Coordinates of all heavy atoms in Angstrom, one line a residue:
L1 N -9.2 -71.7 -95.3 CA -8.6 -72.3 -94.2 C -8.6 -71.3 -93.0 O -8.1 -70.2 -93.1 CB -7.2 -72.7 -94.5 CG -6.3 -73.3 -93.3 CD1 -6.9 -74.6 -92.8 CD2 -4.9 -73.4 -93.7
M2 N -9.2 -71.7 -91.9 CA -9.3 -70.9 -90.7 C -8.0 -71.1 -89.9 O -7.6 -72.3 -89.7 CB -10.5 -71.3 -89.9 CG -10.6 -70.6 -88.5 SD -10.9 -68.8 -88.7 CE -12.6 -68.8 -89.1
R3 N -7.4 -70.1 -89.4 CA -6.2 -70.1 -88.5 C -6.5 -69.4 -87.3 O -7.1 -68.3 -87.3 CB -5.0 -69.5 -89.2 CG -4.6 -70.4 -90.4 CD -3.4 -69.7 -91.1 NE -3.8 -69.7 -92.5 CZ -3.2 -68.9 -93.4 NH1 -2.2 -68.1 -93.0 NH2 -3.6 -68.9 -94.6
I4 N -6.2 -70.0 -86.1 CA -6.4 -69.3 -84.8 C -5.0 -69.3 -84.1 O -4.3 -70.3 -84.0 CB -7.4 -70.1 -84.0 CG1 -8.8 -70.0 -84.7 CG2 -7.5 -69.4 -82.6 CD1 -9.9 -70.8 -84.0
L5 N -4.7 -68.1 -83.6 CA -3.4 -67.9 -82.9 C -3.7 -67.6 -81.5 O -4.5 -66.7 -81.2 CB -2.6 -66.8 -83.5 CG -1.4 -66.3 -82.8 CD1 -0.3 -67.5 -82.8 CD2 -0.8 -65.1 -83.4
Y6 N -3.1 -68.3 -80.6 CA -3.2 -68.1 -79.1 C -1.9 -67.5 -78.7 O -0.8 -68.0 -79.1 CB -3.4 -69.4 -78.4 CG -4.7 -70.2 -78.8 CD1 -4.6 -71.1 -79.8 CD2 -5.9 -69.9 -78.1 CE1 -5.8 -71.8 -80.1 CE2 -7.0 -70.6 -78.5 CZ -7.0 -71.5 -79.5 OH -8.1 -72.2 -79.8
L7 N -1.9 -66.5 -77.8 CA -0.8 -65.9 -77.2 C -0.9 -66.1 -75.7 O -1.9 -65.9 -75.1 CB -0.7 -64.4 -77.4 CG -0.5 -64.0 -78.9 CD1 -0.6 -62.4 -79.0 CD2 0.8 -64.4 -79.5
N8 N 0.2 -66.6 -75.0 CA 0.2 -66.7 -73.6 C 1.6 -66.5 -73.1 O 2.6 -67.1 -73.6 CB -0.3 -68.1 -73.2 CG -0.8 -68.2 -71.8 OD1 -1.7 -67.4 -71.4 ND2 -0.2 -69.1 -71.0
P9 N 1.8 -65.7 -72.0 CA 3.1 -65.4 -71.5 C 3.6 -66.5 -70.6 O 4.8 -66.5 -70.3 CB 2.9 -64.1 -70.7 CG 1.5 -64.2 -70.3 CD 0.7 -64.8 -71.4
C10 N 2.8 -67.4 -70.2 CA 3.1 -68.4 -69.1 C 3.2 -69.8 -69.7 O 2.3 -70.2 -70.4 CB 2.1 -68.3 -68.0 SG 2.4 -69.4 -66.6
G11 N 4.2 -70.6 -69.3 CA 4.3 -72.0 -69.7 C 3.7 -72.9 -68.7 O 3.7 -74.1 -68.9
K12 N 3.2 -72.4 -67.5 CA 2.6 -73.2 -66.5 C 1.1 -73.4 -66.8 O 0.6 -72.6 -67.6 CB 2.8 -72.6 -65.1 CG 4.3 -72.4 -64.7 CD 4.4 -71.7 -63.4 CE 5.8 -71.3 -63.1 NZ 6.3 -70.2 -63.8
I13 N 0.5 -74.4 -66.2 CA -0.9 -74.6 -66.4 C -1.6 -74.1 -65.1 O -1.5 -74.7 -64.0 CB -1.3 -76.0 -66.7 CG1 -0.6 -76.5 -68.0 CG2 -2.8 -76.2 -66.8 CD1 -0.8 -77.9 -68.3
G14 N -2.4 -73.0 -65.3 CA -3.2 -72.5 -64.2 C -4.7 -72.6 -64.7 O -5.0 -73.3 -65.7
G15 N -5.5 -71.9 -64.1 CA -7.0 -71.9 -64.4 C -7.2 -71.4 -65.9 O -8.0 -72.0 -66.6
A16 N -6.6 -70.3 -66.3 CA -6.8 -69.8 -67.6 C -6.3 -70.7 -68.7 O -6.9 -71.0 -69.7 CB -6.1 -68.4 -67.7
E17 N -5.1 -71.3 -68.4 CA -4.5 -72.2 -69.4 C -5.3 -73.5 -69.5 O -5.5 -74.1 -70.6 CB -3.1 -72.5 -68.9 CG -2.1 -71.4 -69.1 CD -2.2 -70.3 -68.0 OE1 -2.8 -70.6 -66.9 OE2 -1.8 -69.2 -68.2
A18 N -5.9 -74.0 -68.3 CA -6.7 -75.2 -68.4 C -8.0 -74.9 -69.2 O -8.4 -75.8 -70.0 CB -7.1 -75.6 -67.0
A19 N -8.5 -73.7 -69.1 CA -9.7 -73.3 -69.9 C -9.4 -73.3 -71.4 O -10.1 -73.7 -72.2 CB -10.3 -72.0 -69.4
V20 N -8.2 -72.7 -71.7 CA -7.8 -72.6 -73.1 C -7.6 -74.0 -73.6 O -8.0 -74.3 -74.8 CB -6.5 -71.8 -73.2 CG1 -5.9 -71.9 -74.6 CG2 -6.8 -70.3 -73.0
L21 N -7.0 -74.9 -72.9 CA -6.8 -76.3 -73.3 C -8.1 -77.0 -73.6 O -8.2 -77.7 -74.6 CB -6.0 -77.1 -72.3 CG -4.5 -76.8 -72.3 CD1 -3.8 -77.5 -71.1 CD2 -3.8 -77.2 -73.5
G22 N -9.1 -76.8 -72.8 CA -10.4 -77.3 -73.0 C -11.0 -76.8 -74.3 O -11.6 -77.6 -75.1
A23 N -10.9 -75.5 -74.5 CA -11.4 -74.9 -75.7 C -10.7 -75.4 -77.0 O -11.3 -75.7 -78.0 CB -11.3 -73.4 -75.7
I24 N -9.4 -75.6 -76.9 CA -8.5 -76.1 -78.0 C -9.0 -77.5 -78.3 O -9.2 -77.9 -79.5 CB -7.0 -76.1 -77.6 CG1 -6.5 -74.6 -77.7 CG2 -6.2 -77.0 -78.5 CD1 -5.1 -74.4 -77.1
R25 N -9.1 -78.4 -77.3 CA -9.5 -79.8 -77.6 C -10.9 -79.8 -78.2 O -11.1 -80.6 -79.2 CB -9.5 -80.5 -76.3 CG -8.1 -80.8 -75.8 CD -8.1 -81.6 -74.5 NE -6.7 -81.8 -74.0 CZ -6.3 -81.3 -72.8 NH1 -7.1 -80.6 -72.0 NH2 -5.0 -81.5 -72.5
A26 N -11.8 -79.0 -77.7 CA -13.2 -79.0 -78.3 C -13.1 -78.5 -79.8 O -13.8 -79.1 -80.7 CB -14.1 -78.2 -77.5
L27 N -12.4 -77.4 -80.0 CA -12.3 -76.9 -81.3 C -11.6 -77.8 -82.3 O -12.1 -78.0 -83.4 CB -11.6 -75.5 -81.3 CG -11.6 -74.7 -82.5 CD1 -13.0 -74.4 -83.0 CD2 -10.8 -73.4 -82.3
H28 N -10.6 -78.5 -81.8 CA -9.9 -79.4 -82.7 C -10.8 -80.6 -83.0 O -10.7 -81.1 -84.2 CB -8.6 -79.9 -82.0 CG -7.7 -80.8 -82.9 ND1 -7.1 -80.3 -84.0 CD2 -7.4 -82.1 -82.8 CE1 -6.4 -81.3 -84.6 NE2 -6.6 -82.4 -83.8
H29 N -11.6 -81.0 -82.1 CA -12.6 -82.1 -82.4 C -13.6 -81.7 -83.4 O -14.0 -82.4 -84.3 CB -13.2 -82.5 -81.0 CG -14.3 -83.6 -81.2 ND1 -14.0 -84.9 -81.5 CD2 -15.6 -83.5 -81.2 CE1 -15.1 -85.6 -81.6 NE2 -16.1 -84.7 -81.4
L30 N -14.1 -80.4 -83.2 CA -15.2 -80.0 -84.1 C -14.7 -79.5 -85.5 O -15.4 -79.7 -86.5 CB -15.9 -78.8 -83.5 CG -16.7 -79.1 -82.2 CD1 -17.2 -77.8 -81.5 CD2 -17.9 -80.0 -82.5
Q31 N -13.5 -79.0 -85.5 CA -12.9 -78.4 -86.8 C -11.5 -78.9 -87.0 O -10.5 -78.2 -86.8 CB -12.9 -76.9 -86.8 CG -14.3 -76.3 -86.6 CD -15.2 -76.5 -87.8 OE1 -14.7 -76.8 -88.9 NE2 -16.5 -76.4 -87.6
P32 N -11.3 -80.2 -87.2 CA -9.9 -80.8 -87.2 C -9.0 -80.2 -88.3 O -7.8 -80.3 -88.2 CB -10.1 -82.3 -87.4 CG -11.5 -82.4 -88.0 CD -12.3 -81.2 -87.5
H33 N -9.6 -79.6 -89.3 CA -8.8 -79.0 -90.4 C -8.3 -77.6 -90.2 O -7.5 -77.1 -90.9 CB -9.6 -79.1 -91.7 CG -10.9 -78.3 -91.7 ND1 -12.0 -78.8 -91.1 CD2 -11.2 -77.1 -92.1 CE1 -13.0 -77.9 -91.1 NE2 -12.5 -76.9 -91.8
W34 N -8.8 -77.0 -89.1 CA -8.4 -75.6 -88.8 C -7.0 -75.7 -88.2 O -6.6 -76.6 -87.5 CB -9.3 -75.0 -87.7 CG -10.6 -74.6 -88.3 CD1 -11.1 -74.8 -89.5 CD2 -11.6 -73.8 -87.6 NE1 -12.4 -74.2 -89.6 CE2 -12.7 -73.6 -88.4 CE3 -11.7 -73.3 -86.3 CZ2 -13.8 -72.9 -88.1 CZ3 -12.8 -72.6 -85.9 CH2 -13.9 -72.4 -86.8
K35 N -6.2 -74.7 -88.5 CA -4.8 -74.6 -88.0 C -4.8 -73.8 -86.7 O -5.1 -72.7 -86.7 CB -3.9 -74.0 -89.1 CG -2.5 -73.9 -88.6 CD -1.5 -73.7 -89.8 CE -0.1 -73.7 -89.3 NZ 0.4 -74.9 -88.8
L36 N -4.3 -74.5 -85.7 CA -4.3 -73.9 -84.3 C -2.8 -73.7 -84.0 O -2.0 -74.6 -84.0 CB -4.9 -74.8 -83.3 CG -6.4 -75.2 -83.6 CD1 -6.9 -76.1 -82.5 CD2 -7.3 -74.0 -83.8
V37 N -2.4 -72.4 -83.7 CA -1.0 -72.1 -83.4 C -1.0 -71.3 -82.1 O -1.9 -70.5 -81.8 CB -0.5 -71.1 -84.5 CG1 1.0 -70.7 -84.2 CG2 -0.6 -71.8 -85.9
M38 N 0.1 -71.6 -81.3 CA 0.2 -70.9 -80.0 C 1.6 -70.3 -79.9 O 2.6 -71.0 -80.3 CB 0.0 -71.9 -78.9 CG 0.1 -71.3 -77.5 SD -0.2 -72.4 -76.2 CE -2.0 -72.7 -76.4
I39 N 1.7 -69.1 -79.5 CA 3.0 -68.5 -79.2 C 3.1 -68.3 -77.7 O 2.2 -67.7 -77.1 CB 3.2 -67.1 -79.9 CG1 3.2 -67.3 -81.4 CG2 4.5 -66.5 -79.4 CD1 3.3 -66.1 -82.2
L40 N 4.1 -69.0 -77.1 CA 4.3 -68.9 -75.6 C 5.6 -68.2 -75.3 O 6.6 -68.4 -76.1 CB 4.4 -70.3 -75.0 CG 3.1 -71.1 -74.9 CD1 3.4 -72.5 -74.4 CD2 2.1 -70.4 -74.0
A41 N 5.6 -67.4 -74.3 CA 6.8 -66.7 -73.9 C 7.8 -67.6 -73.2 O 9.0 -67.2 -73.1 CB 6.5 -65.5 -73.0
E42 N 7.4 -68.7 -72.7 CA 8.3 -69.6 -72.0 C 7.8 -71.1 -72.1 O 6.6 -71.4 -72.4 CB 8.3 -69.3 -70.5 CG 7.0 -69.4 -69.7 CD 7.1 -69.0 -68.3 OE1 8.0 -68.2 -67.9 OE2 6.3 -69.5 -67.5
D43 N 8.8 -72.0 -72.0 CA 8.5 -73.4 -72.1 C 7.9 -73.9 -70.8 O 8.0 -73.3 -69.8 CB 9.7 -74.2 -72.5 CG 9.5 -75.6 -73.0 OD1 8.3 -75.9 -73.3 OD2 10.4 -76.3 -73.2
G44 N 7.2 -75.1 -70.9 CA 6.7 -75.6 -69.7 C 5.6 -76.6 -70.0 O 5.4 -77.0 -71.1
P45 N 4.8 -77.0 -69.0 CA 3.8 -78.0 -69.2 C 2.7 -77.6 -70.1 O 2.1 -78.4 -70.8 CB 3.2 -78.2 -67.8 CG 4.1 -77.6 -66.8 CD 5.0 -76.7 -67.6
F46 N 2.4 -76.3 -70.2 CA 1.4 -75.8 -71.1 C 1.8 -76.0 -72.5 O 0.9 -76.4 -73.4 CB 1.1 -74.3 -70.8 CG -0.1 -73.7 -71.5 CD1 -1.3 -74.5 -71.7 CD2 -0.1 -72.4 -72.0 CE1 -2.4 -73.9 -72.3 CE2 -1.2 -71.9 -72.6 CZ -2.3 -72.6 -72.8
A47 N 3.0 -75.8 -72.9 CA 3.5 -76.1 -74.2 C 3.3 -77.5 -74.6 O 2.8 -77.9 -75.7 CB 5.0 -75.7 -74.4
R48 N 3.7 -78.4 -73.7 CA 3.6 -79.9 -74.0 C 2.1 -80.3 -74.1 O 1.7 -81.0 -75.1 CB 4.3 -80.7 -72.9 CG 5.8 -80.5 -73.0 CD 6.5 -81.4 -72.0 NE 6.4 -81.0 -70.6 CZ 7.0 -80.0 -70.0 NH1 7.8 -79.3 -70.8 NH2 6.8 -79.7 -68.8
A49 N 1.2 -79.8 -73.3 CA -0.2 -80.1 -73.3 C -0.8 -79.6 -74.6 O -1.6 -80.3 -75.2 CB -0.9 -79.6 -72.1
A50 N -0.5 -78.4 -75.0 CA -1.0 -77.8 -76.2 C -0.6 -78.6 -77.4 O -1.3 -78.8 -78.4 CB -0.6 -76.3 -76.3
T51 N 0.7 -79.0 -77.5 CA 1.2 -79.8 -78.6 C 0.5 -81.1 -78.7 O 0.1 -81.5 -79.8 CB 2.7 -80.0 -78.4 OG1 3.4 -78.8 -78.4 CG2 3.3 -80.9 -79.5
E52 N 0.2 -81.7 -77.5 CA -0.5 -83.0 -77.5 C -1.9 -82.8 -78.0 O -2.5 -83.8 -78.5 CB -0.5 -83.6 -76.1 CG 0.9 -84.1 -75.7 CD 1.0 -84.5 -74.2 OE1 0.0 -84.5 -73.5 OE2 2.1 -84.9 -73.8
A53 N -2.5 -81.6 -77.8 CA -3.9 -81.3 -78.2 C -3.9 -80.9 -79.7 O -5.0 -80.7 -80.2 CB -4.4 -80.2 -77.3
G54 N -2.8 -80.9 -80.4 CA -2.8 -80.6 -81.8 C -2.5 -79.2 -82.2 O -2.7 -78.8 -83.3
V55 N -1.9 -78.5 -81.3 CA -1.5 -77.1 -81.5 C -0.1 -77.0 -82.0 O 0.8 -77.7 -81.4 CB -1.8 -76.2 -80.3 CG1 -1.3 -74.8 -80.6 CG2 -3.2 -76.3 -79.9
D56 N 0.2 -76.2 -82.9 CA 1.6 -75.9 -83.4 C 2.1 -74.8 -82.4 O 1.8 -73.7 -82.5 CB 1.6 -75.5 -84.8 CG 2.9 -75.3 -85.4 OD1 3.9 -75.7 -84.8 OD2 3.0 -74.6 -86.5
V57 N 3.0 -75.2 -81.5 CA 3.5 -74.3 -80.4 C 4.9 -73.7 -80.8 O 5.8 -74.5 -81.3 CB 3.6 -75.0 -79.1 CG1 4.2 -74.1 -78.0 CG2 2.2 -75.5 -78.7
H58 N 5.0 -72.4 -80.6 CA 6.3 -71.7 -80.9 C 6.6 -71.0 -79.6 O 5.8 -70.3 -79.0 CB 6.1 -70.7 -82.0 CG 5.7 -71.4 -83.3 ND1 6.7 -71.9 -84.2 CD2 4.5 -71.6 -83.8 CE1 6.0 -72.4 -85.2 NE2 4.7 -72.3 -85.0
L59 N 7.9 -71.0 -79.2 CA 8.4 -70.3 -78.0 C 9.1 -69.0 -78.5 O 10.0 -69.1 -79.3 CB 9.4 -71.2 -77.2 CG 8.8 -72.5 -76.7 CD1 9.9 -73.3 -76.0 CD2 7.6 -72.2 -75.7
L60 N 8.6 -67.9 -78.0 CA 9.1 -66.6 -78.4 C 9.0 -65.7 -77.2 O 7.8 -65.4 -76.8 CB 8.3 -66.1 -79.6 CG 8.7 -64.7 -80.1 CD1 10.2 -64.8 -80.7 CD2 7.7 -64.3 -81.2
P61 N 10.1 -65.2 -76.6 CA 10.0 -64.2 -75.5 C 9.1 -63.0 -75.9 O 9.3 -62.5 -77.0 CB 11.4 -63.9 -75.2 CG 12.2 -65.0 -75.7 CD 11.5 -65.5 -76.9
F62 N 8.2 -62.6 -75.0 CA 7.4 -61.4 -75.3 C 8.2 -60.2 -74.9 O 8.9 -60.2 -73.9 CB 6.1 -61.5 -74.5 CG 5.1 -62.5 -75.0 CD1 5.4 -63.4 -76.1 CD2 3.9 -62.7 -74.3 CE1 4.5 -64.3 -76.4 CE2 3.0 -63.6 -74.7 CZ 3.2 -64.4 -75.8
P63 N 7.9 -59.1 -75.6 CA 8.5 -57.8 -75.1 C 7.8 -57.4 -73.8 O 6.6 -57.9 -73.5 CB 8.1 -56.8 -76.2 CG 7.0 -57.4 -77.0 CD 7.2 -58.9 -76.8
D64 N 8.4 -56.7 -72.9 CA 7.8 -56.3 -71.6 C 6.4 -55.8 -71.7 O 5.6 -56.1 -70.9 CB 8.7 -55.3 -70.9 CG 10.0 -56.0 -70.4 OD1 10.1 -57.2 -70.3 OD2 11.0 -55.2 -70.2
S65 N 6.2 -54.9 -72.7 CA 4.9 -54.3 -72.8 C 3.7 -55.3 -73.1 O 2.6 -55.2 -72.6 CB 4.8 -53.3 -74.0 OG 5.2 -53.9 -75.2
L66 N 4.1 -56.4 -73.8 CA 3.1 -57.5 -74.0 C 3.0 -58.5 -72.8 O 2.0 -58.9 -72.4 CB 3.4 -58.2 -75.3 CG 2.4 -59.3 -75.8 CD1 1.0 -58.7 -75.9 CD2 2.9 -59.9 -77.1
A67 N 4.2 -58.8 -72.3 CA 4.2 -59.8 -71.2 C 3.4 -59.3 -70.0 O 2.9 -60.1 -69.3 CB 5.7 -60.1 -70.8
S68 N 3.4 -58.0 -69.7 CA 2.7 -57.5 -68.5 C 1.3 -57.1 -68.8 O 0.6 -56.7 -67.9 CB 3.5 -56.3 -68.0 OG 3.4 -55.2 -68.9
A69 N 0.8 -57.3 -70.0 CA -0.6 -56.9 -70.4 C -1.7 -57.6 -69.6 O -2.7 -57.1 -69.3 CB -0.8 -57.1 -71.9
G70 N -1.4 -58.9 -69.2 CA -2.4 -59.7 -68.5 C -2.4 -59.5 -67.0 O -3.3 -60.0 -66.3
D71 N -1.4 -58.8 -66.5 CA -1.3 -58.6 -65.1 C -2.2 -57.5 -64.6 O -2.5 -56.6 -65.2 CB 0.1 -58.3 -64.7 CG 1.0 -59.5 -64.9 OD1 0.5 -60.7 -65.0 OD2 2.3 -59.3 -64.9

């Protein structure tokens, strides 16, 4: 069983999140038995869209060192 974990500090949907959603939808279509999991640091539209796309979403605040890694 393949498992893929996505990490994202933002609950909003911007360009990067839209790209991830597109990849998630395509991957879920091609490999529906794979387990897709996302850990988000905050709730928001991205969490809802990912859940609707078939991702198991968990909200977990990131430590400062991880939350600022993408900046």
Side-chain angles (χ1 to χ4, degrees):
L1 174 67
M2 176 66 75
R3 291 179 232 161
I4 298 177
L5 174 65
Y6 300 91
L7 297 173
N8 200 57
C10 180
K12 299 174 187 78
I13 299 177
E17 291 78 18
V20 168
L21 285 171
I24 285 169
R25 289 181 183 116
L27 190 55
H28 186 67
H29 176 73
L30 294 171
Q31 301 292 340
H33 60 282
W34 286 9
K35 181 157 179 71
L36 306 178
V37 179
M38 180 178 290
I39 297 176
L40 288 175
E42 62 183 25
D43 198 8
F46 190 36
R48 290 185 289 284
T51 299
E52 291 170 3
V55 179
D56 184 14
V57 176
H58 301 272
L59 300 176
L60 180 67
F62 288 1
D64 290 339
S65 59
L66 183 59
S68 63
D71 291 342

